[in-house]
């Protein structure tokens, strides 16, 4: 194939794990002469120096820049503004991609011109998972939906002209939620969202401690407050109701068990409830900070 494709890697303090992304990028069987990698760094560790080193060693055209403390929405838009070709594929610093991942994503988009963005599927979360790591098994279920209403950027391919028609990423978004926002606006602009079952990946480093899990979901809850005021969707409130959170978690536990055959999967229900409590606290914190209130004016 000779379609030009950009890979976007937005990273913050990923020095210990970003090699995972570099390895996944290097093994892609898509012609490297038609690839461009844009790395947008916002780190206080040595991630930037590792990115510069990789740029010098790889045969893929690479552009490295700093977001200089800007929010995640603007960071992703920096990657889009420096993209070349028809598509951008988002790579997370801990994401393990199959070697045919980019090729399969591009072929899927070429065959489906009405699709603005498509995600791959998660095949596993980690070769050996701890009980806490079971919390990362949710994406095994999310990626089974063929026509999602929203999607994460992790491993997703976006059509650049679709991003342009939807207005690009919102630079007001400082933390998480920029992916939910842009995928929602893509649908509102008439583009379809889809799942490509032939593009396979998994995150290599799920949260290893309850503290890390709490911080991650507190961040998500903070973001959901912004999205709640923008889209007035009561789902962002209902999901925090404890009995509902437990019921949803238990149902998901059973579904994950059917896929993995791992008894540890039944801890997912408890961990899901824990995550929703963390998100609720993040939601409240954002309310107190006034983050997103301007969306309701």
């Amino acid at each position: 194939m000779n379609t030009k494709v950009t890979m976007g890697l937005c990273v913050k303090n990923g020095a210990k794990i970003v090699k995972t992304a570099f390895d996944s990028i290097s093994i892609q069987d898509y012609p490297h002469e038609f690839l461009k990698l844009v790395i947008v760094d916002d780190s206080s560790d040595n991630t930037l120096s590792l990115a510069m080193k990789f740029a010098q060693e790889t045969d893929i055209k690479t552009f490295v820049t700093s977001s200089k403390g800007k929010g995640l929405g603007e960071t992703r838009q920096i990657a889009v503004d420096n993209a070349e070709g028809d598509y951008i594929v988002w790579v997370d610093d801990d994401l393990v991609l199959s070697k045919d991942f980019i090729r399969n994503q591009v072929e899927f988009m070429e065959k489906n011109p009405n699709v603005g963005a498509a995600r791959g599927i998660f095949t596993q979360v980690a070769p050996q998972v701890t009980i806490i790591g079971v919390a990362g098994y949710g994406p095994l279920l999310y990626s089974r939906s063929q026509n999602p209403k929203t999607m994460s950027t992790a491993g997703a391919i976006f059509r650049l002209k679709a991003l342009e028609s939807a207005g690009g990423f919102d630079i007001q978004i400082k933390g998480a939620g920029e992916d939910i926002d842009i995928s929602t606006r893509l649908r509102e602009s008439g583009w379809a969202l889809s799942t490509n079952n032939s593009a396979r990946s998994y995150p290599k480093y799920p949260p290893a401690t309850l503290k890390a899990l709490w911080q991650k979901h507190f961040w998500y809850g903070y973001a959901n407050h912004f999205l709640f005021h923008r889209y007035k969707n009561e789902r962002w409130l209902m999901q925090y109701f404890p009995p509902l959170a437990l019921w949803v978690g238990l149902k998901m536990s059973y579904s994950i068990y059917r896929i993995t055959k791992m008894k540890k999967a039944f801890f997912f229900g408890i961990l899901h409830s824990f995550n929703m409590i963390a998100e609720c606290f993040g939601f409240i914190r954002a309310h107190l900070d006034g983050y997103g209130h301007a969306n309701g004016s």
Side-chain angles (χ1 to χ4, degrees):
M1 300 186 71
N2 58 3
T3 302
K4 188 85 173 185
V5 184
T6 297
M7 294 172 288
L9 173 59
C10 300
V11 61
K12 182 173 184 176
N13 297 332
K16 294 182 179 179
I17 60 177
V18 73
K19 185 177 182 297
T20 302
F22 295 155
D23 290 344
S24 289
I25 291 166
S26 297
I27 65 170
Q28 291 303 305
D29 62 10
Y30 197 87
H32 286 195
E33 61 268 29
F34 296 115
L35 291 175
K36 179 180 180 180
L37 172 62
V38 177
I39 303 174
V40 187
D41 176 71
D42 184 26
S43 303
S44 56
D45 61 11
N46 67 327
T47 302
L48 182 59
S49 63
L50 293 174
M52 297 297 292
K53 183 175 183 290
F54 178 76
Q56 294 173 349
E57 296 173 348
T58 184
D59 62 344
I60 297 172
K61 181 180 179 181
T62 303
F63 174 75
V64 182
T65 187
S66 172
S67 64
K68 299 179 180 179
K70 296 181 174 66
L72 190 49
E74 190 164 357
T75 296
R76 291 211 184 273
Q77 191 57 42
I78 290 172
V80 171
D81 291 341
N82 288 280
E84 297 178 10
D86 297 330
Y87 309 105
I88 185 167
V89 178
W90 298 104
V91 183
D92 286 355
D93 54 7
D94 70 334
L95 199 61
V96 178
L97 307 177
S98 59
K99 68 178 182 179
D100 57 358
F101 190 90
I102 301 295
R103 176 167 54 82
N104 285 333
Q105 284 285 59
V106 173
E107 289 177 351
F108 182 86
M109 296 296 279
E110 295 283 271
K111 294 176 182 177
N112 297 277
N114 65 313
V115 172
R119 63 188 178 189
I121 63 170
F122 289 107
T123 54
Q124 65 179 94
V125 174
Q128 294 182 342
V129 66
T130 64
I131 288 176
I132 295 174
V134 168
Y137 271 69
L140 288 175
L141 303 181
Y142 303 150
S143 61
R144 261 54 185 182
S145 174
Q146 293 302 304
N147 301 110
K149 294 182 178 180
T150 61
M151 66 171 61
S152 165
T153 48
I157 183 170
F158 281 70
R159 198 179 300 273
L160 287 172
K161 70 176 183 180
L163 285 173
E164 183 180 2
S165 71
F169 286 91
D170 187 345
I171 63 175
Q172 296 181 79
I173 296 178
K174 303 304 180 184
E178 84 296 343
D179 45 7
I180 304 302
D181 177 68
I182 187 61
S183 55
T184 298
R185 287 190 286 113
L186 282 175
R187 285 196 305 108
E188 291 177 347
S189 299
W191 294 95
L193 305 180
S194 191
T195 300
N196 178 10
N197 293 324
S198 64
R200 300 172 180 271
S201 66
Y202 71 91
K204 189 175 182 179
Y205 300 101
T209 66
L210 285 175
K211 180 180 179 180
L213 196 61
W214 178 276
Q215 291 173 338
K216 177 180 180 179
H217 284 273
F218 184 94
W219 191 50
Y220 288 165
Y222 198 91
N224 283 344
H225 184 268
F226 182 98
L227 297 172
F228 170 74
H229 280 279
R230 168 161 290 179
Y231 295 107
K232 309 300 188 291
N233 189 335
E234 293 182 358
R235 178 179 66 86
W236 274 288
L237 295 178
M238 292 297 297
Q239 66 182 339
Y240 302 139
F241 183 53
L244 180 61
L246 181 60
W247 172 244
V248 170
L250 291 174
K251 286 181 65 178
M252 293 176 70
S253 293
Y254 179 67
S255 298
I256 292 169
Y257 173 75
R258 292 183 62 186
I259 295 172
T260 65
K261 305 303 180 185
M262 292 176 57
K263 293 181 180 179
K264 289 180 181 178
F266 289 105
F267 284 98
F268 182 90
I270 299 171
L271 292 168
H272 179 76
S273 297
F274 176 84
N275 293 343
M276 291 301 99
I277 293 172
E279 290 194 20
C280 185
F281 273 84
F283 192 96
I284 293 170
R285 178 72 262 179
H287 178 74
L288 295 175
D289 291 346
Y291 179 58
H293 286 170
N295 288 320
S297 60

